[in-house]
């Protein structure tokens, strides 16, 4: 039986977490009988993750992303499991792991637009972290057997940054509507609380999200309306 690992340490986070929950939800329904999934989750999350498939083995990992423990503890756990293939669902991974793996690169925005204005760290510390990010992502792209991107545009950006030699192993796979959203029920009671028209922004408040421009556009709209 083949052993495939999936890094699910960001299971309950936004963004990558949504990607993970959908991936595992549908994978559990179509998993071939000759494949066993090793799911690596954080210690604090392990009690809250339940997958109805006995070929999913949940591994506890007390090593968060962007940490030294990730490079040592997580690496040791992966090597012990002797996986046939590992799927890193986020750019942060043990850089010494050289067994076959694939990676999902959701975007390269942090490479193109620094988010230092939103950082609580000293500019020097932020610069060190950004350099580490560049190194880790570059290593992942270099050694991955296959790279998944959500759009063709992200693939084109990666080729422009890292070179045409990686084009053949980058595979755009479009993301669908979350199964969680498809099960959502409209909360009609909110209509009583929000009686006036409003704009809703869903996302993080990082500079590259351009929320400032959204606010300026809203101010312009209000002036034109008045």
């Amino acid at each position: 039986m083949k052993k495939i690992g999936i890094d699910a340490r960001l299971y309950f986070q936004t963004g990558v977490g949504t990607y993970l929950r959908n991936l595992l939800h549908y994978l559990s329904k179509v998993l071939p009988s000759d494949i066993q999934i090793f799911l690596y989750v954080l210690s604090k999350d392990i009690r809250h993750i339940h997958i109805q498939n006995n070929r999913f083995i949940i591994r506890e990992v007390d090593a968060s992303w962007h940490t030294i423990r990730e490079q040592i503890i997580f690496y040791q756990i992966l090597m012990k499991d002797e996986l046939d293939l590992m799927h890193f669902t986020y750019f942060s991974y043990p850089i010494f792991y050289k067994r076959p793996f694939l990676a999902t690169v959701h975007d390269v925005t942090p490479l193109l637009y620094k988010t230092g204005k939103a950082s609580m760290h000293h500019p020097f510390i932020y610069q060190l972290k950004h350099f580490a990010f560049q190194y880790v992502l570059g290593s992942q792209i270099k050694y991955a057997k296959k790279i998944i991107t959500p759009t063709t545009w992200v693939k084109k950006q990666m080729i422009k940054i890292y070179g045409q030699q990686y084009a053949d192993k980058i595979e755009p796979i479009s993301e669908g509507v979350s199964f969680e959203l498809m099960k959502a029920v409209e909360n009609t009671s909110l209509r009583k609380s929000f009686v006036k028209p409003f704009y809703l922004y869903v996302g993080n408040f990082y500079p590259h999200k351009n929320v400032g421009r959204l606010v300026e556009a809203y101010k312009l709209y209000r002036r034109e309306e008045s």
Side-chain angles (χ1 to χ4, degrees), residues 14-15 109 115 118 194 197-218:
T14 58
T109 300
T115 60
F194 300 95
F198 62 92
Y199 288 98
L200 176 65
Y201 167 73
V202 180
N204 292 318
F205 200 70
Y206 287 115
H208 67 270
K209 297 293 186 178
N210 221 359
V211 181
R213 183 63 61 87
L214 177 64
V215 174
E216 291 298 322
Y218 178 69

mmCIF file of all heavy atoms in Angstrom, residues 14-15 109 115 118 194 197-218:
data_model
loop_
_atom_site.group_PDB
_atom_site.id
_atom_site.type_symbol
_atom_site.label_atom_id
_atom_site.label_comp_id
_atom_site.label_asym_id
_atom_site.label_seq_id
_atom_site.Cartn_x
_atom_site.Cartn_y
_atom_site.Cartn_z
ATOM 1 N N THR A 14 -7.522 30.440 7.995
ATOM 2 C CA THR A 14 -8.218 30.916 6.805
ATOM 3 C C THR A 14 -7.342 30.665 5.580
ATOM 4 O O THR A 14 -6.169 30.338 5.709
ATOM 5 C CB THR A 14 -8.507 32.424 6.920
ATOM 6 O OG1 THR A 14 -7.260 33.122 7.095
ATOM 7 C CG2 THR A 14 -9.398 32.717 8.110
ATOM 8 N N GLY A 15 -7.895 30.819 4.406
ATOM 9 C CA GLY A 15 -7.099 30.677 3.190
ATOM 10 C C GLY A 15 -6.653 29.247 2.962
ATOM 11 O O GLY A 15 -7.398 28.422 2.413
ATOM 12 N N THR A 109 2.434 36.545 -4.038
ATOM 13 C CA THR A 109 2.242 37.936 -3.649
ATOM 14 C C THR A 109 3.316 38.444 -2.686
ATOM 15 O O THR A 109 3.841 39.551 -2.872
ATOM 16 C CB THR A 109 0.840 38.133 -3.030
ATOM 17 O OG1 THR A 109 -0.143 37.761 -4.000
ATOM 18 C CG2 THR A 109 0.619 39.573 -2.611
ATOM 19 N N THR A 115 5.004 42.997 2.826
ATOM 20 C CA THR A 115 3.936 43.357 3.775
ATOM 21 C C THR A 115 4.515 43.906 5.076
ATOM 22 O O THR A 115 3.899 43.811 6.122
ATOM 23 C CB THR A 115 3.049 42.136 4.068
ATOM 24 O OG1 THR A 115 3.869 41.093 4.633
ATOM 25 C CG2 THR A 115 2.390 41.620 2.801
ATOM 26 N N ALA A 118 2.647 45.981 7.769
ATOM 27 C CA ALA A 118 1.702 45.328 8.676
ATOM 28 C C ALA A 118 2.411 44.482 9.726
ATOM 29 O O ALA A 118 1.759 43.872 10.567
ATOM 30 C CB ALA A 118 0.737 44.444 7.881
ATOM 31 N N PHE A 194 -29.119 45.103 9.687
ATOM 32 C CA PHE A 194 -28.484 45.892 8.631
ATOM 33 C C PHE A 194 -29.553 46.342 7.639
ATOM 34 O O PHE A 194 -29.789 45.691 6.621
ATOM 35 C CB PHE A 194 -27.410 45.053 7.926
ATOM 36 C CG PHE A 194 -26.324 44.577 8.847
ATOM 37 C CD1 PHE A 194 -26.391 43.313 9.427
ATOM 38 C CD2 PHE A 194 -25.242 45.383 9.152
ATOM 39 C CE1 PHE A 194 -25.401 42.861 10.284
ATOM 40 C CE2 PHE A 194 -24.247 44.947 10.006
ATOM 41 C CZ PHE A 194 -24.321 43.691 10.581
ATOM 42 N N PRO A 197 -27.939 49.743 2.852
ATOM 43 C CA PRO A 197 -26.958 49.058 1.977
ATOM 44 C C PRO A 197 -25.549 49.192 2.554
ATOM 45 O O PRO A 197 -25.213 50.214 3.160
ATOM 46 C CB PRO A 197 -27.094 49.804 0.649
ATOM 47 C CG PRO A 197 -28.454 50.425 0.694
ATOM 48 C CD PRO A 197 -28.687 50.785 2.137
ATOM 49 N N PHE A 198 -24.721 48.188 2.380
ATOM 50 C CA PHE A 198 -23.363 48.238 2.910
ATOM 51 C C PHE A 198 -22.429 47.427 2.026
ATOM 52 O O PHE A 198 -22.854 46.582 1.237
ATOM 53 C CB PHE A 198 -23.321 47.699 4.353
ATOM 54 C CG PHE A 198 -23.739 46.257 4.483
ATOM 55 C CD1 PHE A 198 -22.802 45.235 4.415
ATOM 56 C CD2 PHE A 198 -25.079 45.928 4.687
ATOM 57 C CE1 PHE A 198 -23.181 43.909 4.544
ATOM 58 C CE2 PHE A 198 -25.471 44.606 4.814
ATOM 59 C CZ PHE A 198 -24.523 43.591 4.735
ATOM 60 N N TYR A 199 -21.131 47.698 2.168
ATOM 61 C CA TYR A 199 -20.099 46.932 1.493
ATOM 62 C C TYR A 199 -19.497 45.959 2.502
ATOM 63 O O TYR A 199 -19.300 46.311 3.668
ATOM 64 C CB TYR A 199 -18.994 47.838 0.958
ATOM 65 C CG TYR A 199 -19.404 48.673 -0.228
ATOM 66 C CD1 TYR A 199 -19.811 49.999 -0.059
ATOM 67 C CD2 TYR A 199 -19.380 48.151 -1.507
ATOM 68 C CE1 TYR A 199 -20.193 50.767 -1.144
ATOM 69 C CE2 TYR A 199 -19.749 48.911 -2.607
ATOM 70 C CZ TYR A 199 -20.153 50.212 -2.416
ATOM 71 O OH TYR A 199 -20.537 50.971 -3.483
ATOM 72 N N LEU A 200 -19.181 44.756 2.045
ATOM 73 C CA LEU A 200 -18.577 43.748 2.917
ATOM 74 C C LEU A 200 -17.245 43.320 2.321
ATOM 75 O O LEU A 200 -17.182 42.854 1.182
ATOM 76 C CB LEU A 200 -19.499 42.531 3.053
ATOM 77 C CG LEU A 200 -18.939 41.345 3.860
ATOM 78 C CD1 LEU A 200 -18.738 41.752 5.317
ATOM 79 C CD2 LEU A 200 -19.872 40.138 3.761
ATOM 80 N N TYR A 201 -16.176 43.501 3.069
ATOM 81 C CA TYR A 201 -14.851 43.029 2.651
ATOM 82 C C TYR A 201 -14.493 41.795 3.458
ATOM 83 O O TYR A 201 -14.556 41.816 4.689
ATOM 84 C CB TYR A 201 -13.790 44.112 2.869
ATOM 85 C CG TYR A 201 -12.377 43.580 2.756
ATOM 86 C CD1 TYR A 201 -11.834 43.233 1.519
ATOM 87 C CD2 TYR A 201 -11.597 43.377 3.893
ATOM 88 C CE1 TYR A 201 -10.554 42.718 1.413
ATOM 89 C CE2 TYR A 201 -10.313 42.872 3.805
ATOM 90 C CZ TYR A 201 -9.797 42.539 2.566
ATOM 91 O OH TYR A 201 -8.534 42.014 2.463
ATOM 92 N N VAL A 202 -14.113 40.733 2.788
ATOM 93 C CA VAL A 202 -13.722 39.486 3.450
ATOM 94 C C VAL A 202 -12.251 39.223 3.135
ATOM 95 O O VAL A 202 -11.897 38.949 1.984
ATOM 96 C CB VAL A 202 -14.588 38.302 2.971
ATOM 97 C CG1 VAL A 202 -14.156 37.017 3.685
ATOM 98 C CG2 VAL A 202 -16.059 38.575 3.227
ATOM 99 N N GLY A 203 -11.400 39.314 4.126
ATOM 100 C CA GLY A 203 -9.981 39.085 3.888
ATOM 101 C C GLY A 203 -9.143 39.669 5.001
ATOM 102 O O GLY A 203 -9.649 40.332 5.915
ATOM 103 N N ASN A 204 -7.830 39.449 4.942
ATOM 104 C CA ASN A 204 -6.901 40.011 5.919
ATOM 105 C C ASN A 204 -6.623 41.478 5.617
ATOM 106 O O ASN A 204 -6.820 41.943 4.486
ATOM 107 C CB ASN A 204 -5.583 39.225 5.907
ATOM 108 C CG ASN A 204 -5.753 37.820 6.438
ATOM 109 O OD1 ASN A 204 -6.448 37.622 7.422
ATOM 110 N ND2 ASN A 204 -5.128 36.851 5.797
ATOM 111 N N PHE A 205 -6.137 42.180 6.624
ATOM 112 C CA PHE A 205 -5.890 43.617 6.475
ATOM 113 C C PHE A 205 -4.406 43.871 6.202
ATOM 114 O O PHE A 205 -3.769 44.709 6.834
ATOM 115 C CB PHE A 205 -6.346 44.348 7.736
ATOM 116 C CG PHE A 205 -6.586 45.808 7.522
ATOM 117 C CD1 PHE A 205 -7.653 46.257 6.774
ATOM 118 C CD2 PHE A 205 -5.728 46.759 8.067
ATOM 119 C CE1 PHE A 205 -7.875 47.604 6.574
ATOM 120 C CE2 PHE A 205 -5.934 48.114 7.877
ATOM 121 C CZ PHE A 205 -7.010 48.532 7.128
ATOM 122 N N TYR A 206 -3.838 43.155 5.253
ATOM 123 C CA TYR A 206 -2.446 43.368 4.869
ATOM 124 C C TYR A 206 -2.374 44.411 3.762
ATOM 125 O O TYR A 206 -3.327 44.567 2.978
ATOM 126 C CB TYR A 206 -1.810 42.067 4.386
ATOM 127 C CG TYR A 206 -1.534 41.084 5.485
ATOM 128 C CD1 TYR A 206 -2.195 39.858 5.532
ATOM 129 C CD2 TYR A 206 -0.590 41.360 6.478
ATOM 130 C CE1 TYR A 206 -1.940 38.944 6.541
ATOM 131 C CE2 TYR A 206 -0.328 40.448 7.489
ATOM 132 C CZ TYR A 206 -1.007 39.245 7.513
ATOM 133 O OH TYR A 206 -0.758 38.353 8.513
ATOM 134 N N PRO A 207 -1.258 45.142 3.658
ATOM 135 C CA PRO A 207 -1.143 46.187 2.634
ATOM 136 C C PRO A 207 -1.415 45.693 1.214
ATOM 137 O O PRO A 207 -2.041 46.392 0.418
ATOM 138 C CB PRO A 207 0.307 46.667 2.789
ATOM 139 C CG PRO A 207 0.638 46.389 4.215
ATOM 140 C CD PRO A 207 -0.078 45.107 4.556
ATOM 141 N N HIS A 208 -0.936 44.475 0.882
ATOM 142 C CA HIS A 208 -1.113 44.000 -0.494
ATOM 143 C C HIS A 208 -2.566 43.665 -0.825
ATOM 144 O O HIS A 208 -2.900 43.449 -1.986
ATOM 145 C CB HIS A 208 -0.215 42.782 -0.748
ATOM 146 C CG HIS A 208 -0.595 41.556 0.017
ATOM 147 N ND1 HIS A 208 -0.095 41.270 1.272
ATOM 148 C CD2 HIS A 208 -1.425 40.536 -0.283
ATOM 149 C CE1 HIS A 208 -0.599 40.141 1.703
ATOM 150 N NE2 HIS A 208 -1.414 39.664 0.773
ATOM 151 N N LYS A 209 -3.429 43.645 0.187
ATOM 152 C CA LYS A 209 -4.858 43.423 -0.075
ATOM 153 C C LYS A 209 -5.532 44.694 -0.609
ATOM 154 O O LYS A 209 -6.655 44.643 -1.093
ATOM 155 C CB LYS A 209 -5.567 42.976 1.212
ATOM 156 C CG LYS A 209 -5.083 41.640 1.765
ATOM 157 C CD LYS A 209 -5.446 40.483 0.852
ATOM 158 C CE LYS A 209 -5.089 39.152 1.503
ATOM 159 N NZ LYS A 209 -5.467 37.998 0.661
ATOM 160 N N ASN A 210 -4.828 45.817 -0.496
ATOM 161 C CA ASN A 210 -5.294 47.079 -1.069
ATOM 162 C C ASN A 210 -6.600 47.575 -0.443
ATOM 163 O O ASN A 210 -7.446 48.165 -1.134
ATOM 164 C CB ASN A 210 -5.468 46.943 -2.590
ATOM 165 C CG ASN A 210 -4.981 48.180 -3.328
ATOM 166 O OD1 ASN A 210 -4.534 49.129 -2.708
ATOM 167 N ND2 ASN A 210 -5.085 48.154 -4.644
ATOM 168 N N VAL A 211 -6.780 47.325 0.834
ATOM 169 C CA VAL A 211 -7.999 47.758 1.519
ATOM 170 C C VAL A 211 -8.074 49.286 1.572
ATOM 171 O O VAL A 211 -9.158 49.876 1.489
ATOM 172 C CB VAL A 211 -8.072 47.166 2.938
ATOM 173 C CG1 VAL A 211 -9.352 47.599 3.639
ATOM 174 C CG2 VAL A 211 -8.018 45.643 2.878
ATOM 175 N N GLY A 212 -6.919 49.940 1.668
ATOM 176 C CA GLY A 212 -6.892 51.392 1.675
ATOM 177 C C GLY A 212 -7.527 51.973 0.424
ATOM 178 O O GLY A 212 -8.281 52.961 0.483
ATOM 179 N N ARG A 213 -7.220 51.359 -0.709
ATOM 180 C CA ARG A 213 -7.820 51.810 -1.964
ATOM 181 C C ARG A 213 -9.331 51.581 -1.970
ATOM 182 O O ARG A 213 -10.088 52.392 -2.527
ATOM 183 C CB ARG A 213 -7.163 51.072 -3.138
ATOM 184 C CG ARG A 213 -7.639 51.509 -4.524
ATOM 185 C CD ARG A 213 -7.304 52.970 -4.798
ATOM 186 N NE ARG A 213 -5.866 53.193 -4.748
ATOM 187 C CZ ARG A 213 -5.044 53.026 -5.795
ATOM 188 N NH1 ARG A 213 -5.541 52.630 -6.958
ATOM 189 N NH2 ARG A 213 -3.752 53.249 -5.679
ATOM 190 N N LEU A 214 -9.774 50.512 -1.357
ATOM 191 C CA LEU A 214 -11.206 50.241 -1.243
ATOM 192 C C LEU A 214 -11.905 51.337 -0.435
ATOM 193 O O LEU A 214 -12.986 51.810 -0.812
ATOM 194 C CB LEU A 214 -11.434 48.876 -0.586
ATOM 195 C CG LEU A 214 -12.888 48.464 -0.333
ATOM 196 C CD1 LEU A 214 -13.634 48.319 -1.650
ATOM 197 C CD2 LEU A 214 -12.933 47.151 0.453
ATOM 198 N N VAL A 215 -11.263 51.759 0.662
ATOM 199 C CA VAL A 215 -11.832 52.821 1.491
ATOM 200 C C VAL A 215 -11.883 54.134 0.712
ATOM 201 O O VAL A 215 -12.875 54.878 0.770
ATOM 202 C CB VAL A 215 -11.018 52.987 2.784
ATOM 203 C CG1 VAL A 215 -11.509 54.190 3.577
ATOM 204 C CG2 VAL A 215 -11.105 51.721 3.632
ATOM 205 N N GLU A 216 -10.806 54.439 -0.028
ATOM 206 C CA GLU A 216 -10.783 55.663 -0.829
ATOM 207 C C GLU A 216 -11.879 55.641 -1.894
ATOM 208 O O GLU A 216 -12.526 56.665 -2.163
ATOM 209 C CB GLU A 216 -9.411 55.824 -1.493
ATOM 210 C CG GLU A 216 -8.281 56.141 -0.533
ATOM 211 C CD GLU A 216 -8.492 57.465 0.177
ATOM 212 O OE1 GLU A 216 -8.990 58.411 -0.469
ATOM 213 O OE2 GLU A 216 -8.166 57.550 1.381
ATOM 214 N N ALA A 217 -12.085 54.465 -2.503
ATOM 215 C CA ALA A 217 -13.128 54.343 -3.520
ATOM 216 C C ALA A 217 -14.506 54.561 -2.905
ATOM 217 O O ALA A 217 -15.384 55.200 -3.519
ATOM 218 C CB ALA A 217 -13.054 52.969 -4.180
ATOM 219 N N TYR A 218 -14.695 54.081 -1.699
ATOM 220 C CA TYR A 218 -15.975 54.253 -1.017
ATOM 221 C C TYR A 218 -16.219 55.727 -0.687
ATOM 222 O O TYR A 218 -17.326 56.249 -0.849
ATOM 223 C CB TYR A 218 -16.013 53.416 0.251
ATOM 224 C CG TYR A 218 -17.291 53.576 1.043
ATOM 225 C CD1 TYR A 218 -18.499 53.088 0.553
ATOM 226 C CD2 TYR A 218 -17.287 54.240 2.269
ATOM 227 C CE1 TYR A 218 -19.672 53.245 1.270
ATOM 228 C CE2 TYR A 218 -18.458 54.408 2.987
ATOM 229 C CZ TYR A 218 -19.648 53.908 2.486
ATOM 230 O OH TYR A 218 -20.802 54.066 3.189
#
